[in-house]
Amino acid sequence: MDDSVDTDRISEFVHGTRIGDAPPEVVRTARRLLLDTVGALAGGLRYPPVRALGRALRAAEPTGPDDLPYARLVTLGTAATWLDADSGGSFHPQGHRLPPVPTAHPAPHSLPILLHAAATGDLPDRRLLEVFLLANEVGMRFGVATTLRPGLHPHGIHGPVAAALAAALLRGLDPDATSAAIRLAASVPLAATLAVPMRGGTVRNLWTGLGAYHGAAAAGRAADGAAASAALVTALLDAAVCTDLSPAELTGELGTRWRLVDSYLKPYACARWIHPALDAWRSAVAGVPDPVSGRGGLAAIEVDTFAFAASLAGTEVRSDLHARFSLPVSLGTLALDGELVAGSFLPERLGRAQVRTLAGLVRVREDPAFTAALPLQRPTAVTVRWRDGSSSTARVRNARGNPDDPLTDREVAEKFHRNVEGVLADGTAEAVVASLLTADGGRGDSLRRAAVEILGA
């Protein structure tokens, strides 16, 4: 077997590791990551196109195995990235490759498998957290160990491996079958383009749903004895879809060096390239009671940023995803509402006249020095000018939510509660937060309760 992708070693790791073997900071990261991803997924289910997709898929779905529900997994995976509020990996050894896309988004690919298992079984939160931790550690490693080809989007590429591992562990596959499941899942990467979401194409979110299903299907095929080719995985991840495959990054120091802690959490439901501008806006208007209407009203908002953020300067949006990839629209929404969460771009709020007016005040410029600071930094400066002649400027070097400037537990919990409104009962939401953000939690079944409510939404 080609040893570039040592799936036997990975399988040995996930079968031989328990949550108590991981350092406390890794478990804490996994808790916060799981809570955040549940919130992002529930928030996505609030959008009519996601609900319509679920209805259409269920209506067309033939009778199949109960452990591989196509409509459910695809819909949940699609919902998990609909808000563009999901986590990703922020570290990359070959980080010089631009545009600076994340290394991987394993969490939204693996969560649909966990929610299905939680709703249909009797699994405590601690076991679901354990599977989530292991599956996404490996998913992150596949992202770190490869360099995505320029112009491609990460959804559906490394995520299916995390989904396959989650399904394999929950199905009780043996190590050999789990190894095969990894190879089968890594053999079906989606090679879709980054330009699609930048132009508002909501099909981008479907890629995660398909990745979740393909991962679960890989575990099912492995259980049935399907053959898997390590050479094919190498050809895809070191030539066709990705390059620079590093066996050392993929399997080196498994269990002692944890890539999960390199995850970022997004405080805003929009493209991450925009986040530095939103942070800088908040700093610039800190202490101003009414930054939109006060001081005679806003006159201009000037944004100096790096090239990739500067390219997102359009104000005419065709979908809520297009709004999430518009710096002026996202900034105008934050300015008006004070937040950017699940409800921000629902149909009745997308295209609000006040947001359009504020977006029209935004002027975006590239600063070549800021572009040169990529990918380690994403500098952005925002100058706010009011009609009374006063102004305020703030600059940030990076967006909040990165591992070196993480959100607090309170911020993660607040984001979760705002995203799940109308999907989870208040008591269920509180129970999930208590279970996942409390060090001695995880013994109950709050995730099962949440899964039942999510699947009934």
Side-chain angles (χ1 to χ4, degrees), residues 90-325:
S90 58
F91 177 85
H92 203 306
Q94 294 86 33
H96 59 281
R97 297 294 288 270
L98 298 175
V101 296
T103 56
H105 287 268
H109 292 77
S110 59
L111 182 61
I113 286 82
L114 270 74
L115 291 179
H116 172 67
T120 56
D122 186 22
L123 294 165
D125 291 354
R126 184 175 177 84
R127 176 55 177 163
L128 293 168
L129 176 65
E130 180 175 79
V131 171
F132 182 82
L133 187 159
L134 294 170
N136 291 297
E137 169 65 19
V138 174
M140 286 282 287
R141 281 175 169 265
F142 268 83
V144 171
T146 58
T147 298
L148 192 62
R149 282 198 173 276
L152 296 186
H153 194 281
H155 289 184
I157 292 181
H158 305 109
V161 170
L165 274 172
L169 292 171
L170 292 170
R171 289 173 61 119
L173 267 60
D174 64 32
D176 288 343
T178 299
S179 179
I182 298 168
R183 295 196 296 276
L184 289 167
S187 298
V188 287
L190 291 168
T193 63
L194 181 62
V196 170
M198 293 178 67
R199 296 170 182 168
T202 55
V203 70
R204 187 284 304 260
N205 304 304
L206 184 62
W207 303 337
T208 312
L210 292 171
Y213 174 78
H214 288 319
R221 293 173 60 206
D224 292 337
S229 169
L232 174 60
V233 174
T234 300
L236 289 168
L237 298 187
D238 201 22
V241 178
C242 302
T243 59
D244 306 320
L245 178 62
S246 169
E249 292 290 348
L250 187 60
T251 57
E253 299 179 278
L254 271 170
T256 57
R257 182 185 187 188
W258 294 84
R259 287 301 190 190
L260 196 71
V261 297
D262 296 318
S263 301
Y264 64 77
L265 298 182
K266 299 173 71 173
Y268 312 109
C270 67
R272 190 165 173 250
W273 294 346
I274 295 171
H275 284 218
L278 304 186
D279 284 343
W281 155 267
R282 296 182 77 165
S283 294
V285 301
V288 180
D290 186 356
V292 173
S293 302
R295 299 185 180 182
L298 283 171
I301 306 171
E302 300 169 1
V303 180
D304 294 287
T305 188
F306 52 94
F308 301 101
S311 71
L312 305 180
T315 58
E316 297 298 322
V317 297
R318 297 183 297 274
S319 67
D320 66 273
L321 184 63
H322 208 184
R324 301 180 201 283
F325 274 80

Side-chain angles (χ1 to χ4, degrees), residues 27-52:
V27 178
R28 181 172 179 269
T29 297
R31 289 177 180 276
R32 300 167 81 249
L33 187 61
L34 178 52
L35 178 69
D36 191 70
T37 311
V38 172
L41 186 152
L45 287 172
R46 295 169 61 179
Y47 279 72
V50 181
R51 294 176 181 267

